[in-house]
Amino acid sequence: QVQLVESGGGLVQAGGSLRLSCADSGRTFSVLTMGWFRQAPGKEREFVAAISWSRGSTNYADSVKGRFTISRDNAKNTVYLQMNSLKPEDTAVYYCAAKRTVLVGATGYDYWGQGTQITVSS
């Protein structure tokens, strides 16, 4: 079974950096793409980034492009989100997600982690 566990959340000052990790302890061949989403208070869930396990193809939301980097370690079944130049508007609960297609878009995710809080202070 697929089990997604996020880690690395916390409080950081604006301009700082954090790295999130998502371990798929139950990874199977059916999971082909991993993604990150976030949800800020009073806002809808927002796509952040995605990566395919096989080729490492990536996709980023315009709001984080150039600041965030998604990567994966296939041997560890772990995906990372390196977040640099953080802004207060990045404050949100960040969720790891997985899906059974190779398309690195914002839809079609089948499995979700429980989320981790990121707070960026001014």
Side-chain angles (χ1 to χ4, degrees):
Q1 64 205 35
V2 177
Q3 295 177 264
L4 305 178
V5 181
E6 303 101 332
S7 62
L11 176 66
V12 66
Q13 194 173 57
S17 299
L18 285 174
R19 189 179 76 161
L20 302 181
S21 299
C22 176
D24 179 7
S25 60
R27 171 166 155 73
T28 69
F29 293 110
S30 65
V31 174
L32 302 179
T33 298
M34 301 288 288
W36 288 97
F37 292 76
R38 66 187 182 185
Q39 187 167 21
K43 295 187 177 181
E44 296 181 356
R45 176 174 50 81
E46 176 187 27
F47 171 77
V48 176
I51 188 168
S52 64
W53 280 114
S54 57
R55 292 191 177 189
S57 300
T58 59
N59 188 27
Y60 296 93
D62 289 341
S63 60
V64 306
K65 193 171 297 182
R67 299 188 298 121
F68 291 11
T69 302
I70 189 170
S71 61
R72 87 270 197 246
D73 186 331
N74 295 64
K76 295 181 178 180
N77 294 332
T78 300
V79 64
Y80 305 95
L81 185 68
Q82 178 66 46
M83 303 184 292
N84 298 326
S85 302
L86 283 162
K87 305 174 181 179
E89 50 262 46
D90 295 319
T91 295
V93 176
Y94 283 69
Y95 297 92
C96 179
K99 63 176 179 177
R100 298 187 291 261
T101 75
V102 297
L103 300 178
V104 289
T107 61
Y109 290 83
D110 306 297
Y111 309 100
W112 298 85
Q114 293 187 349
T116 185
Q117 177 70 48
I118 300 297
T119 302
V120 184
S121 62
S122 300

